[in-house]
Amino acid sequence: MEVSDIMTTIRQRKGLKVTEVAEDHLSQKKNVKSDGRVPSGGKLWKRFSLIVGGIVAVSLGLLTSVYVATLHENDLWFSNIKEVEREISFRTECGLYYSYYKQMLQAPSIRQGLHDLVHDNKTESLRTINILERMNVYQEVFLSILYKILPVQRYLEPVYFYIYTLFGLQALYVIALYITSWLLSGTWLSGLLAAFWYIINRIDTTRVEFTIPLRENWALPFFAVQIAAITYLLRPHLQPLHERLTLLVVFLSTFLFSLTWQFNQFMMLIQALVLFILDSLDMLPTAKRNLKTGGLLNRLGKLFLHVLLVLCLTLLVNNFIKKILNLESDEHIFKFLKAKFGFGSTRDFDANLYLCEEAFGLLPLNTFSRLSDTFLFYVYIFVLFPIMITAAVVAFQNLSGSANVQPIDKMEKCTVALKPGAAYNLIHTVLFGCLALSTMRMKYLWTSHMCVFASFGLCSTEVWGFILKSVHLDTPQRICVIKYLVPIATLLYLSHKFWPGMMDELSELREFYDPDTVELMNWIKSNTPETAAFAGSMQLLAGVKLCTGRILTNHPHYEDKSLRERTKQVYQIYAKRSPEEVYRTLRSFGTDYVILEDSICYERRHSRGCRLRDLLDIANGHIMDGVGDNEPNLKPSAYPRFSSTVSSTNNSRDVRPSCHLCF
């Protein structure tokens, strides 16, 4: 078929979108001979490239797993420390999650272990709760069952089986990022650069080596697989078998992601929003709808009404389901968001607890300096702007209806760089960026995707074509040379600059050291009955459950309203309350022992107004300690602070029959 025939066909098929037409045209020009057959040399080269790229992807994934596992071992001397020290190293909520893995292994049978989780009466005193329903611990259950049935018990300790699984998921994570970048750019060199950027920016892309059981370390690899699968699925003209297999991968990865992270609904909301935007702007390879007809003003009006309808229906359905099922578990999140974005201050303890945590604050500026030191942020911005300009042009053309009648040369200039997969990842990275900028804890979504997006752009024919055309220097040969030369030069420079530092990091040896907490756990196991219930900070109590198996009054999994209220009441041990009132409160929860921590009593990590005792004073309507302003309507308390009273009155371990342990 000649070029004139192709142009005639394009003009007749007005139903096709610009991105699809341009992509078809390019693929026909590049890969089809005059007799309609694909050159055999091209097939061989494609297969060779696929094999080499696949080997490089798997190798990089495995090397990343070994790298983070070695860093974890070197940092803690994990193979040499005691079991109690290993367990203490799983701090805060990580210890709580790991405790269920340990509990399942200690159960006499799998059935009994599952029964104990479904009818748990040790995680919250005087309550029987369903752990599988309340928490995302299916992965711990599955892993414990796997450890019991596989012939690895003779060679591998349970804790190593657990942490090696998490480090192994890092291999899956890197491979998924690699494949996504490869799919977008068409060359595995892009995937290599993405993986290398992910590794050298480890401080900002992952925290797996020091918070191993954290839910995001389980979930994000599956989320990356889902993004890679959707990127491939958005390619037009997929073979039916490939499409069905890809849909299966999307389903499985989405299912596993949702199963392993309690914040999955926010990510799924972003996914839905991305696909909704792409569909509304006619950037998906799907059939036409009524929304996509008419002139520019008509289509903009339909789009506005469509967005309004979707938002209203979402809010109505969400509120209706919450009313029917009596769900209030995410109430604190909306209070936090309302206060965070300036819609009024709040004295709510839960909301302020989030607001004062650095992880839920704005993204620190030093993050950008670290990312710029590896050139990642500079390249990301360099790639982001031309693709955003292209996206704006294509969106305008699609909405105005003028895109379908563009001449082929204009289509190549404006739309070749915006394939559906590229548009999908563009909106993803923009939304991830907004989320990360507003909440630092979510930066790991953005920074890992930043590696993919920057490497794709640096190896992209379309991006370099767009840039060189804008300065009238574009030729196919020049574009081809630049798209390979620049990434290779970048890889060589980054290797020269960061490889010695990575080797030094691997040779640096440290050791876990926390004698006070070790002494506390040993004292609890030796001096308290197994049925004793402990009150204290959420973070420390998770370690108490893991190391001693004692009953807790509260814990760090903060997603239940009744638990949040209980935690607030337990934390009155650090508030200005009478000893009698605190005693009655603790006894109402069945508390036998309470642990007071100097790190909270004399907290210096947070500034005035964000210390835990300040948050309790504000919530109770009391004036805060220290020099400084107070909110209006706060009054002095009639009682001194309970924790200070205990410390000053009797510096012993016996204060009350129900409060034997006080630090």
Side-chain angles (χ1 to χ4, degrees):
M1 184 182 290
E2 297 181 356
V3 175
S4 58
D5 296 328
I6 295 173
M7 294 177 65
T8 304
T9 305
I10 290 171
R11 290 193 181 97
Q12 291 171 351
R13 295 171 60 191
K14 294 184 178 180
L16 288 180
K17 296 190 286 290
V18 180
T19 51
E20 296 178 44
V21 173
E23 187 172 344
D24 291 344
H25 172 62
L26 284 183
S27 64
Q28 290 176 26
K29 283 171 62 180
K30 291 179 180 179
N31 300 324
V32 182
K33 286 184 177 180
S34 58
D35 59 358
R37 293 180 299 172
V38 178
S40 58
K43 280 187 177 180
L44 290 174
W45 174 252
K46 186 176 181 181
R47 288 175 183 173
F48 176 75
S49 178
L50 189 65
I51 292 172
V52 173
I55 293 173
V56 172
V58 174
S59 301
L60 281 172
L62 293 176
L63 284 173
T64 303
S65 296
V66 173
Y67 177 60
V68 294
T70 305
L71 289 176
H72 174 259
E73 168 64 26
N74 291 354
D75 189 49
L76 301 177
W77 204 6
F78 200 74
S79 60
N80 194 66
I81 58 179
K82 300 175 183 178
E83 184 66 21
V84 64
E85 293 176 312
R86 291 177 179 177
E87 293 177 346
I88 291 172
S89 70
F90 298 136
R91 298 186 182 276
T92 64
E93 60 184 291
C94 298
L96 182 68
Y97 297 132
Y98 183 78
S99 72
Y100 298 117
Y101 171 74
K102 179 181 177 182
Q103 181 178 325
M104 281 291 296
L105 291 177
Q106 293 176 342
S109 66
I110 294 175
R111 175 176 296 209
Q112 184 61 44
L114 291 172
H115 179 273
D116 292 342
L117 288 180
V118 173
H119 304 88
D120 180 272
N121 54 14
K122 287 192 170 184
T123 302
E124 296 177 15
S125 58
L126 304 184
R127 285 180 184 167
T128 299
I129 62 175
N130 186 339
I131 297 296
L132 296 181
E133 183 182 80
R134 283 272 299 272
M135 304 182 195
N136 297 72
V137 295
Y138 289 100
Q139 50 268 48
E140 276 76 21
V141 173
F142 172 76
L143 215 57
S144 63
I145 295 173
L146 204 61
Y147 183 77
K148 284 189 173 184
I149 63 177
L150 290 178
V152 297
Q153 301 178 29
R154 185 183 301 178
Y155 315 103
L156 202 61
E157 296 178 59
V159 66
Y160 280 106
F161 186 72
Y162 186 90
I163 65 174
Y164 285 167
T165 300
L166 267 300
F167 293 144
L169 280 177
Q170 281 295 297
L172 179 65
Y173 197 5
V174 170
I175 291 171
L177 299 176
Y178 181 106
I179 291 174
T180 304
S181 187
W182 187 358
L183 289 171
L184 290 171
S185 65
T187 171
W188 57 263
L189 180 63
S190 172
L192 175 61
L193 184 56
F196 195 70
W197 258 326
Y198 176 85
I199 295 170
I200 64 176
N201 289 283
R202 177 180 50 83
I203 294 176
D204 295 300
T205 55
T206 182
R207 46 181 174 170
V208 66
E209 76 271 16
F210 57 89
T211 57
I212 299 174
L214 209 60
R215 302 298 86 177
E216 68 186 45
N217 296 328
W218 285 97
L220 292 186
F222 299 120
F223 191 57
V225 170
Q226 184 213 53
I227 291 176
I230 294 176
T231 301
Y232 181 75
L233 188 65
L234 291 178
R235 288 187 165 189
H237 314 304
L238 282 181
Q239 296 181 9
L241 178 61
H242 292 171
E243 186 171 345
R244 285 195 293 269
L245 290 175
T246 307
L247 282 172
L248 179 62
V249 173
V250 171
F251 169 77
L252 290 176
S253 58
T254 304
F255 173 74
L256 292 172
F257 170 70
S258 301
L259 206 64
T260 52
W261 199 16
Q262 69 268 32
F263 294 134
N264 67 82
Q265 63 269 28
F266 300 105
M267 301 304 104
M268 292 297 99
L269 178 62
I270 289 179
Q271 289 278 38
L273 185 59
V274 170
L275 294 174
F276 173 73
I277 292 173
L278 290 175
D279 185 57
S280 299
L281 298 178
D282 202 11
M283 292 182 179
L284 290 178
T286 54
K288 295 175 67 175
R289 297 183 333 191
N290 290 333
L291 176 67
K292 302 171 183 177
T293 58
L296 177 60
L297 293 178
N298 188 20
R299 297 183 72 175
L300 286 175
K302 290 180 181 179
L303 180 60
F304 174 77
L305 292 175
H306 192 190
V307 171
L308 188 62
L309 179 63
V310 169
L311 290 176
C312 291
L313 283 176
T314 301
L315 292 174
L316 287 173
V317 171
N318 181 55
N319 289 328
F320 177 74
I321 293 176
K322 285 183 178 179
K323 292 286 185 182
I324 295 296
L325 300 180
N326 195 27
L327 298 176
E328 297 178 313
S329 56
D330 58 357
E331 178 187 23
H332 64 302
I333 296 178
F334 291 104
K335 290 181 180 178
F336 158 71
L337 292 175
K338 181 180 177 181
K340 181 179 178 67
F341 294 110
F343 295 103
S345 60
T346 180
R347 292 183 180 177
D348 183 77
F349 175 76
D350 300 321
N352 283 328
L353 199 62
Y354 280 102
L355 287 170
C356 288
E357 282 299 320
E358 184 181 5
F360 293 94
L362 300 177
L363 188 66
L365 293 178
N366 60 6
T367 305
F368 298 104
S369 63
R370 288 193 300 270
L371 296 175
S372 300
D373 191 45
T374 63
F375 288 165
L376 175 59
F377 186 67
Y378 293 139
V379 175
Y380 177 76
I381 297 299
F382 173 78
V383 171
L384 185 64
F385 277 108
I387 298 182
M388 287 185 69
I389 293 171
T390 303
V393 172
V394 172
F396 177 79
Q397 290 176 338
N398 289 343
L399 287 175
S400 64
S402 61
N404 295 323
V405 296
Q406 287 284 334
I408 192 67
D409 56 339
K410 291 187 178 180
M411 284 194 292
E412 288 184 15
K413 181 176 180 179
C414 297
T415 63
V416 170
L418 199 72
K419 300 171 185 176
Y424 168 76
N425 281 273
L426 169 66
I427 301 177
H428 244 306
T429 198
V430 170
L431 294 181
F432 283 167
C434 294
L435 192 62
L437 290 171
S438 64
T439 307
M440 190 193 76
R441 184 175 179 178
M442 296 300 177
K443 75 173 180 178
Y444 301 100
L445 289 163
W446 187 38
T447 49
S448 59
H449 196 266
M450 189 185 291
C451 299
V452 171
F453 202 79
S455 60
F456 140 66
L458 214 59
C459 301
S460 171
T461 301
E462 293 82 5
V463 170
W464 284 114
F466 179 92
I467 293 172
L468 292 177
K469 280 182 182 180
S470 63
V471 293
H472 307 291
L473 293 175
D474 62 301
T475 63
Q477 295 79 11
R478 189 174 288 142
I479 292 173
C480 185
V481 169
I482 290 178
K483 83 166 192 174
Y484 287 111
L485 184 61
V486 173
I488 291 173
T490 304
L491 275 169
L492 291 174
Y493 174 78
L494 293 176
S495 301
H496 172 74
K497 183 176 180 180
F498 292 100
W499 187 260
M502 293 171 66
M503 294 299 102
D504 290 341
E505 193 176 27
L506 288 174
S507 63
E508 186 177 353
L509 302 178
R510 291 181 292 270
E511 183 180 356
F512 177 85
Y513 185 75
D514 191 353
D516 293 338
T517 308
V518 171
E519 182 186 1
L520 170 63
M521 299 305 169
N522 289 333
W523 188 93
I524 292 174
K525 286 192 288 186
S526 303
N527 296 278
T528 65
E530 293 183 0
T531 57
F534 280 76
S537 69
M538 296 182 289
Q539 294 79 6
L540 184 59
L541 287 185
V544 170
K545 185 181 188 307
L546 172 58
C547 298
T548 70
R550 299 306 190 260
I551 300 172
L552 310 182
T553 56
N554 56 306
H555 54 80
H557 195 269
Y558 214 54
E559 313 308 318
D560 180 75
K561 183 179 181 181
S562 60
L563 176 66
R564 292 196 298 271
E565 182 58 34
R566 174 183 279 211
T567 298
K568 179 182 175 182
Q569 294 302 316
V570 168
Y571 277 1
Q572 298 303 314
I573 59 178
Y574 297 107
K576 297 172 182 176
R577 296 289 190 182
S578 68
E580 293 77 16
E581 183 180 0
V582 174
Y583 174 80
R584 286 193 300 269
T585 300
L586 294 175
R587 288 303 296 159
S588 68
F589 300 138
T591 305
D592 298 308
Y593 297 84
V594 61
I595 304 174
L596 295 175
E597 300 171 61
D598 287 344
S599 59
I600 298 178
C601 295
Y602 309 106
E603 183 180 0
R604 294 185 179 90
R605 186 169 69 93
H606 292 105
S607 59
R608 184 177 182 271
C610 271
R611 300 169 298 189
L612 179 60
R613 61 182 186 270
D614 296 336
L615 301 183
L616 291 165
D617 290 341
I618 293 172
N620 295 335
H622 297 154
I623 291 176
M624 295 182 291
D625 293 338
V627 179
D629 297 331
N630 286 280
E631 293 186 17
N633 303 324
L634 294 181
K635 299 178 180 179
S637 173
Y639 303 98
R641 200 170 301 282
F642 173 78
S643 56
S644 301
T645 302
V646 170
S647 300
S648 60
T649 302
N650 190 345
N651 190 22
S652 69
R653 295 178 185 264
D654 277 323
V655 179
R656 288 184 174 274
S658 64
C659 179
H660 295 295
L661 182 61
C662 296
F663 284 174

